[in-house]
Every structure is written in structure tokens, then in C-alpha cells.
Amino acid sequence: MELLIILFTSYTVSAQQLNEIKGIVTSGTDNLPLAGVNVALKGAKGVTSSGFDGEFTINASSNDVLVFSFIGFKNQEVQVG
């Protein structure tokens, strides 16, 4: 299984203490963007997927964990913090 590389930044959205997380998912072997990677909040209903250019956006709190999954790749969890 291959490794996903996730690059992301955080922007504050509202008084709800949610952050707008934006990032790009790329392959760990050739650094090419990966389209269609599922990006989910661990244990929650929030989910999105990366676009054709590997970019994604999801709202999360600083305590959330993002779970990245894609067929043929090992799932990866990243603490938002």
C-alpha cells in the first residue's frame, strides 16, 4: 500500500470554533495530486473528497482528527490541532 501526503492550512470560520481546513492530497511515491480521496472527520458525519487537483475543504474543530482514505492506499489520520 502506498502512503498519502496531505498538506493543509487552517482558517477560522465562526464563533462555533470551527476551522475551514484546506489542503492538497498527493501521492507519497510521485507527489502527483490525487482526485477522489475521501476526507472525513473521525467519528463524525462530516465528509468531503478531493477534487481533480487534489484540493479539499472541510470544516473541523482543533480537536478533530481527519481520516484520509483512497482505494489502493493506506488510510492516514491527521490531528487538526
Side-chain angles (χ1 to χ4, degrees):
M1 301 231 168
E2 297 185 32
L3 174 70
L4 299 176
I5 294 178
I6 300 106
L7 307 171
F8 63 92
T9 58
S10 173
Y11 300 94
T12 302
V13 172
S14 69
Q16 297 174 355
Q17 298 182 4
L18 290 179
N19 296 310
E20 184 177 71
I21 309 299
K22 292 184 176 187
I24 300 172
V25 183
T26 60
S27 167
T29 57
D30 55 16
N31 292 326
L32 292 176
L34 294 173
V37 175
N38 287 328
V39 182
L41 298 176
K42 186 173 185 175
K45 295 181 182 179
V47 66
T48 190
S49 60
S50 60
F52 72 93
D53 53 2
E55 292 184 5
F56 70 92
T57 301
I58 192 168
N59 292 324
S61 72
S62 60
N63 296 331
D64 285 329
V65 173
L66 299 180
V67 179
F68 296 83
S69 60
F70 192 61
I71 296 173
F73 288 79
K74 182 178 178 183
N75 288 2
Q76 186 170 355
E77 295 184 5
V78 176
Q79 176 73 39
V80 173

